[in-house]
Amino acid sequence: MLKKFMLASVCVLVWCQAMVGQTAIKTRHGYRFINHTHKPGDTHPQPGESARISVDVWAGKIRMSSSRENPGGMYEFNMPADADSAYVPPLADALRLMVQGDSATIFQPVDTLMRNFLPPKAQKEKEIRFEVVLREIVTKSAKAQAAQAAVLYANTIETRVQSTNTAYKAGSLNDRITQRPSGLKMMVEALGEGKPLKKGEAVQLHYFGILSDGTPFDNSYARREPLGVPAGVGQMIPGFDEGIMQLKHGGKAYLFIPAALGYGATGFGTNIPPDADLVFYIEIL
């Protein structure tokens, strides 16, 4: 705890030193903004494009969130199409004034609603501070190509999952299946590298889920967005939670989850009927 406090204090000190002598300007929508680098060029992210950024969000000395928790340490921000809407996010205003490689700070005043979400030690803060670096601009055409590639990859994953499920039901994978005491069955493609996942550790993963009869019900690949979840703390169904905890970062596995470790006798929504056995393919990033 002391080390974390000291690290946060050092970060704030470095930030304060960097701010000395720099002049803030007002953005189009009234946010206070400081560009620390002023990289050459005039290509700014435009509406409909995306900006890949590194960003830390601070309330005083408390870091509220950080892109370093995401795969690759970045966050992809979609530039809003309507620049004159009633509310424009601070990051949108900041990025319109930045070019690739720029580092900047933008401040958002804390209103009554926002204050409800601040931690107790930050309740008196008057501003939220965004420390942002513009790493890459993703054009509309690049986004379209990436979306098409994601659909093709999702289709490839579905084909593999369906094929594996067919082989599983035929009994031809029995020598590769591990059954755990809970009843969860797993087929590990890759264990992953590094230390085992810790309970509560924030992980990012992709998944493709089907019913045992082959009906798909959900997947993260088509959305092009991994699922972020704390490992093994009960936010997911028991079989999914248990399966995650058997892997490391980079791990890949099929989970064959009996209904008792899934959604049980009630099912879930319209896609998962009562007493449904589930099959997942998961990739821990």
Side-chain angles (χ1 to χ4, degrees):
M1 177 63 76
L2 179 59
K3 289 183 179 179
K4 290 183 179 179
F5 176 77
M6 292 175 64
L7 178 60
S9 298
V10 170
C11 290
V12 172
L13 177 60
V14 170
W15 171 77
C16 289
Q17 291 173 339
M19 296 285 282
V20 173
Q22 300 200 49
T23 303
I25 65 171
K26 287 287 186 179
T27 67
R28 178 177 178 180
H29 296 91
Y31 298 112
R32 196 156 60 93
F33 171 81
I34 299 173
N35 190 326
H36 305 295
T37 47
H38 296 284
K39 294 288 185 180
D42 57 3
T43 302
H44 310 283
Q46 299 299 311
E49 296 182 334
S50 293
R52 290 181 179 151
I53 62 176
S54 298
V55 58
D56 291 309
V57 184
W58 294 82
K61 296 181 180 180
I62 299 175
R63 187 168 64 196
M64 305 279 288
S65 65
S66 175
S67 62
R68 60 189 84 182
E69 298 172 356
N70 296 341
M74 289 194 291
Y75 168 67
E76 187 159 326
F77 181 84
N78 293 313
M79 297 296 291
D82 184 6
D84 296 311
S85 60
Y87 171 74
V88 173
L91 284 175
D93 254 15
L95 291 166
R96 289 192 181 102
L97 298 173
M98 300 170 67
V99 299
Q100 188 166 305
D102 265 340
S103 174
T105 303
I106 191 164
F107 302 84
Q108 181 177 16
V110 174
D111 59 24
T112 302
L113 179 61
M114 290 174 60
R115 197 170 301 281
N116 293 331
F117 296 95
L118 294 181
K121 292 184 178 180
Q123 282 294 313
K124 294 183 179 180
E125 297 298 331
K126 296 181 179 180
E127 292 179 312
I128 299 295
R129 187 174 82 251
F130 297 81
E131 301 292 342
V132 57
V133 179
L134 176 53
R135 302 293 185 185
E136 182 183 359
I137 298 172
V138 185
T139 65
K140 291 181 181 179
S141 60
K143 287 180 67 176
Q145 291 175 2
Q148 184 178 19
V151 170
L152 293 175
Y153 187 56
N155 290 341
T156 298
I157 293 294
E158 180 176 6
T159 299
R160 290 170 55 189
V161 173
Q162 297 287 7
S163 176
T164 299
N165 185 44
T166 299
Y168 168 73
K169 290 192 292 185
S172 58
L173 299 178
N174 289 347
D175 59 338
R176 299 179 59 189
I177 299 291
T178 300
Q179 180 165 341
R180 296 184 54 77
S182 66
L184 171 68
K185 295 182 180 180
M186 297 183 63
M187 186 174 76
V188 177
E189 280 196 338
L191 182 61
E193 299 179 352
K195 297 180 180 179
L197 298 180
K198 296 180 181 179
K199 188 173 182 179
E201 177 182 350
V203 297
Q204 300 276 327
L205 59 92
H206 273 299
Y207 67 91
F208 199 109
I210 63 173
L211 304 179
S212 60
D213 67 1
T215 304
F217 60 84
D218 192 18
N219 81 87
S220 63
Y221 295 96
R223 292 193 297 272
R224 300 171 53 208
E225 183 176 344
L227 172 69
V229 62
V233 297
Q235 285 198 8
M236 307 299 291
I237 56 176
F240 200 97
D241 258 351
E242 184 179 353
I244 290 174
M245 294 302 294
Q246 312 315 308
L247 302 174
K248 303 177 181 181
H249 289 285
K252 304 176 183 180
Y254 292 91
L255 309 179
F256 303 92
I257 302 177
L261 298 178
Y263 293 97
T266 59
F268 184 77
T270 58
N271 292 330
I272 301 177
D275 299 315
D277 295 338
L278 308 176
V279 180
F280 281 98
Y281 176 69
I282 61 173
E283 294 184 82
I284 310 293
L285 304 180

